[in-house]
Amino acid sequence: MVLLNCGAGLMVLGGVGDLLIASPPDLWSQSLGQPVGSLPPAVARLLMCLLHALGSALLASGIAALCLINGPLQRGGWWPGVAIALVVVLSDGVNALQIYLSGGFYFWVPLTFVGLVLLGLLLAFLPPAIFPAGSEQMRRSN
């Protein structure tokens, strides 16, 4: 569960980071084909609105993943795992893909968040025989 919470928590922080950016980053200059300082104010404002909308969506999907991890997933069942995987891959996975397609070298950051969550899900759904002490505890509690 630690990897799941860590990955989802980093998604939340990434969304907050996007919300805190006040002007178009210089990294966007290459993708835009001109320095971001030379953008018309309306275009710069539009780009920042889009970035803030993305940040809000990442923040919301991170919070949703945290709620699913610490609620339904801990109570058992397979559907919370599927929902968490969909939320994370469709939010930060697509974010990483779009950063890569636009030429950004930092696409690995959201991809790391996705990897942490998916690895955590894989570990959460491993057969109990791999962790005999934990499976014994679960049998006693049922």
Side-chain angles (χ1 to χ4, degrees), residues 71-80 125:
L73 186 67
Q74 284 192 348
R75 289 192 293 273
W78 59 270
W79 74 267
F125 286 103

Side-chain angles (χ1 to χ4, degrees), residues 37-108:
S38 68
L39 292 172
V43 172
R45 194 169 43 253
L46 175 63
L47 288 172
M48 292 314 301
C49 287
L50 291 172
L51 180 64
H52 291 160
L54 171 68
S56 298
L58 291 174
L59 178 66
S61 60
I63 290 170
L66 283 170
C67 290
L68 287 168
I69 291 164
N70 294 298
L73 186 67
Q74 284 192 348
R75 289 192 293 273
W78 59 270
W79 74 267
V82 172
I84 292 165
L86 285 172
V87 165
V88 170
V89 169
L90 290 175
S91 61
D92 259 359
V94 173
N95 182 25
L97 175 65
Q98 292 305 316
I99 292 170
Y100 174 77
L101 292 175
S102 69
F105 64 89
Y106 52 95
F107 68 91
W108 60 270

Side-chain angles (χ1 to χ4, degrees), residues 4 9 14 18-20 27-30 41 46 48-49 53-54 59 65 68-69 73 80 86 94 103 111 114 117 137:
L4 288 168
D18 286 347
L19 289 171
L20 294 176
L27 289 171
W28 292 0
S29 295
Q30 185 178 7
L46 175 63
M48 292 314 301
C49 287
L54 171 68
L59 178 66
L68 287 168
I69 291 164
L73 186 67
L86 285 172
V94 173
L111 202 56
V114 173
V117 171
Q137 262 182 340

Side-chain angles (χ1 to χ4, degrees), residues 93-141:
V94 173
N95 182 25
L97 175 65
Q98 292 305 316
I99 292 170
Y100 174 77
L101 292 175
S102 69
F105 64 89
Y106 52 95
F107 68 91
W108 60 270
V109 175
L111 202 56
T112 302
F113 305 161
V114 173
L116 285 171
V117 171
L118 294 179
L119 180 61
L121 282 173
L122 180 67
L123 292 174
F125 286 103
L126 282 176
I130 292 178
F131 299 107
S135 63
E136 184 63 35
Q137 262 182 340
M138 286 181 68
R139 265 189 254 128
R140 278 190 230 141
S141 66

